Amino acid sequence: MNADAKLNLAGTKGVNPALAERYEGRTACVIGSGFGGMALAIRLQSAGIATTVIESRDKPGGRAYFWEKDGFTFDAGPTVITDPPCLEELWALTGHDIAEDVELMKVMPFYRLNWPDGTNFDYSNDEEQLNAEIAKLNPADVAGYARFLEYSERVYREGYLKLGTKPFLDFKSMLKAAPALIKEQAWRSVYGMVSSYVENEKLREALSFHTLLVGGNPMNTSSIYALIHKLEKDGGVWWARGGTNRLIAGMVRHFERLGGTMRVGDPVVQVHTLGTKATEVETKSGFRQRFDAVASNADIMHSYKDLMSNSPRGKQMAKSLGRKSFSPSLFVVHFGLEGTWPGIPHHMILFAKRYKGLLDDIYKNGVVPEDFAIYLHHPTVTDPSMAPEGKSTFYALVPVSHMGKMPLDWDEVGPKLEKMILDELERRLIPDIHSRIVTKFSYAPKDFKADLNAHMGSAFSLEPVLWQSAWLRGHNRDDVIDNYYLVGAGTHPGAGIPGVVGSAKATAGLMLEDLAKAQ
């Protein structure tokens, strides 16, 4: 590194000079530019490691992709931003402020929950208002919710603060964490734990549905995921002006400001290995480059089965992953409407008549249910810039089984399900929805598979169950190819923005340690 480059890196808002010296000449590649990949790339580049991000699609974001159609902006997802400090830290590493690149806006209420009988429940961190909402369902459950929140605070400390950014490299590391988790009855489900605190069935659904947003069945997912309530209570729920895609764009801008390289629209076709080392990354265009370390933010099965198809390790891991349980997929209807809807909040959950039975259909039975729960996203109530003046952007998301459980012809099923979803919204929320539609399109499990190389079209990678957590989940560093790393939903701690950003912190720590030793 020449003197001028060192001077640039050592600026008041640049890489620490000591780090620049330590990692001089070291290179890394991050495959995929989702939240996990970009968070990892920023951490590596902030330390002075020359980092290249390679993205297969025409723009960055991974699952946080977006479309612009007829003047409307449609985020692919995710749309719920929690724990802003985990994002702010990425800028603070080099003396910057996230506000330079992203405007975060508060969302209130966090969610409006609606049931077929017309009951509404506004969920937020306004304690007085929330207690009033609980009392409307069952006054006796106000005290029970307070006890549940105490439990949520305990598992937040153990599961998120202590373990959320910690890599589990061997079985011993998991055993060390086990006593605290056993004490908090981590083997119980979120729904089971919630039910031990509150009596009202609607409230049980209201306090357990969050796991669906990270691919987990509330009936099976570990009660540790109750930590989400504490996470939201303390940090709130946020939106990035212009869409979640603007948060990705801000991360890319910051990464490039630090000297990082983006290579977009060029899928990686092979990670070449020699012995126990990843040596080169090759793309579809013919680009081929040697790196000191390679990290994949791609789907975990794709990261091994396809990207390491020439390596015995790739074949071995693909076989092992094939025995694991993957999260469901999603069917999403994106639509733009004439008119504005100030009475419809930013986030709504429209529950079905059934809860457990519906979850069984999604996670076990592999059928398209006649009734379905809908997550309705309405960003223009917070941020009118997402649609032309006087119009509104929405998406309606329905969890469905992945293609391994439900191998349907989505070209045939999709239009029928789309109409069923819009008809349900017409019955329950927007009486003249069909006549107001300006533009619409749907995104099905086959699209997750085609666009994101998602195994069986899974929307959230490995299912977040206890027997696929920590060391039993994808490892942040491969056990055999010792300079091949993983980041994102398939690794510890799992899906969701805080989860994948936490995985990036864990993976970055390993990469920085290993690259320093390799000097």
Side-chain angles (χ1 to χ4, degrees):
M1 185 180 292
N2 63 40
D4 288 341
K6 284 186 179 181
L7 182 63
N8 289 336
L9 285 172
T12 56
K13 290 195 173 184
V15 178
N16 181 300
L19 292 179
E21 191 76 35
R22 181 184 301 173
Y23 296 110
E24 181 178 352
R26 311 308 286 172
T27 61
C29 177
V30 177
I31 302 168
S33 63
F35 277 109
M38 289 311 307
L40 174 59
I42 288 170
R43 287 186 174 277
L44 297 176
Q45 191 67 40
S46 294
I49 297 167
T51 304
T52 299
V53 175
I54 304 179
E55 169 57 46
S56 65
R57 302 180 79 179
D58 62 341
K59 50 195 171 197
R63 280 167 171 75
Y65 194 79
F66 73 102
W67 301 271
E68 293 174 310
K69 188 175 181 182
D70 299 323
F72 296 84
T73 301
F74 297 100
D75 270 320
T79 57
V80 179
I81 300 172
T82 55
D83 191 22
C86 79
L87 296 166
E88 292 164 357
E89 186 177 292
L90 299 172
W91 275 260
L93 288 168
T94 49
H96 288 269
D97 188 331
I98 190 173
E100 295 174 43
D101 300 303
V102 183
E103 181 185 351
L104 293 177
M105 309 166 71
K106 285 186 177 180
V107 174
M108 285 292 277
F110 295 168
Y111 314 93
R112 175 167 295 160
L113 313 179
N114 172 271
W115 286 267
D117 65 4
T119 301
N120 284 320
F121 181 95
D122 282 359
Y123 181 78
S124 72
N125 59 356
D126 183 320
E127 190 170 342
E128 184 177 346
Q129 187 178 42
L130 182 57
N131 284 338
E133 292 288 300
I134 294 170
K136 284 194 299 186
L137 296 179
N138 182 16
D141 282 336
V142 173
Y145 171 74
R147 292 193 298 274
F148 168 71
L149 191 57
E150 290 175 0
Y151 173 79
S152 175
E153 290 173 351
R154 294 199 302 272
V155 293
Y156 169 78
R157 287 196 300 270
E158 295 298 332
Y160 189 72
L161 294 183
K162 291 184 181 180
L163 304 178
T165 58
K166 175 183 177 181
F168 285 81
L169 301 179
D170 50 38
F171 189 65
K172 288 181 181 178
S173 61
M174 195 168 74
L175 287 179
K176 289 179 182 178
L181 300 182
I182 291 171
K183 181 182 177 183
E184 300 302 345
Q185 304 177 63
W187 66 88
R188 297 185 64 178
S189 71
V190 171
Y191 180 84
M193 186 59 74
V194 166
S195 298
S196 70
Y197 289 104
V198 299
E199 300 171 354
N200 182 271
E201 177 56 30
K202 286 186 173 70
L203 191 57
R204 289 174 173 180
E205 295 175 18
L207 297 178
S208 63
F209 82 88
H210 289 80
T211 61
L212 288 164
L213 302 180
V214 292
N217 183 345
M219 301 294 171
N220 294 333
T221 301
S222 169
S223 59
I224 294 300
Y225 278 80
L227 66 83
I228 294 172
H229 293 273
K230 173 65 173 175
L231 193 70
E232 290 182 342
K233 183 177 185 295
D234 284 5
V237 170
W238 298 79
W239 171 253
R241 185 181 294 279
T244 313
N245 65 88
R246 293 297 88 198
L247 179 52
I248 285 288
M251 295 173 83
V252 170
R253 190 179 305 117
H254 181 53
F255 172 65
E256 292 183 324
R257 173 190 295 132
L258 297 173
T261 301
M262 295 292 300
R263 189 177 185 88
V264 177
D266 192 12
V268 172
V269 294
Q270 193 67 214
V271 175
H272 294 280
T273 61
L274 182 63
T276 62
K277 294 290 183 183
T279 53
E280 295 176 312
V281 174
E282 182 180 355
T283 70
K284 186 177 180 180
S285 72
F287 168 86
R288 184 164 175 166
Q289 185 167 320
R290 181 174 292 271
F291 293 96
D292 296 312
V294 178
S296 180
N297 182 219
D299 173 84
I300 189 169
M301 178 67 89
H302 179 62
S303 297
Y304 283 105
K305 183 180 179 181
D306 302 320
L307 301 188
M308 299 190 76
S309 60
N310 292 341
S311 164
R313 177 60 174 167
K315 295 179 175 67
Q316 176 194 13
M317 278 301 295
K319 185 176 180 181
S320 174
L321 288 166
R323 295 191 290 266
K324 291 186 177 291
S325 172
F326 280 75
S327 294
S329 191
L330 302 170
F331 185 82
V332 188
V333 185
H334 297 269
F335 56 99
L337 295 185
E338 289 280 4
T340 57
W341 306 88
I344 300 177
H346 194 125
H347 303 293
M348 278 193 78
I349 305 292
L350 286 80
F351 287 105
K353 291 179 180 178
R354 300 180 301 154
Y355 193 54
K356 184 179 185 302
L358 175 59
L359 293 169
D360 284 344
D361 281 350
I362 297 166
Y363 285 84
K364 297 178 183 178
N365 303 331
V367 297
V368 178
E370 292 185 5
D371 60 336
F372 36 76
I374 301 172
Y375 160 54
L376 184 67
H377 180 231
H378 176 211
T380 38
V381 75
T382 302
D383 180 7
S385 72
M386 298 292 285
E389 188 174 356
K391 296 180 174 64
S392 300
T393 294
F394 287 89
Y395 82 49
L397 175 156
V398 171
V400 295
S401 301
H402 61 60
M403 297 169 73
K405 290 186 182 291
M406 196 167 64
L408 301 177
D409 180 351
W410 280 100
D411 289 333
E412 179 184 346
V413 174
K416 296 176 183 177
L417 184 54
E418 177 186 283
K419 185 177 184 304
M420 290 169 64
I421 292 168
L422 292 173
D423 286 349
E424 183 71 4
L425 293 175
E426 184 175 58
R427 280 192 295 271
R428 292 173 64 173
L429 210 58
I430 307 172
D432 53 354
I433 188 170
H434 288 284
S435 65
R436 287 181 173 269
I437 291 175
V438 177
T439 188
K440 67 181 173 69
F441 65 98
S442 296
Y443 203 78
K446 69 180 180 69
D447 300 307
F448 282 91
K449 183 175 182 180
D451 293 342
L452 298 161
N453 297 299
H455 183 53
M456 299 184 296
S458 169
F460 306 94
S461 193
L462 293 169
E463 187 178 353
V465 288
L466 195 59
W467 56 91
Q468 292 184 167
S469 299
W471 181 73
L472 299 173
R473 204 165 180 83
H475 296 180
N476 299 86
R477 178 177 61 209
D478 187 73
D479 296 345
V480 175
I481 309 299
D482 56 24
N483 66 334
Y484 188 56
Y485 304 82
L486 296 171
V487 63
T491 63
H492 171 76
I497 294 176
V500 299
V501 171
S503 81
K505 189 171 184 177
T507 300
L510 292 173
M511 294 179 75
L512 292 174
E513 182 180 342
D514 294 346
L515 287 169
K517 288 178 183 176
Q519 288 289 67

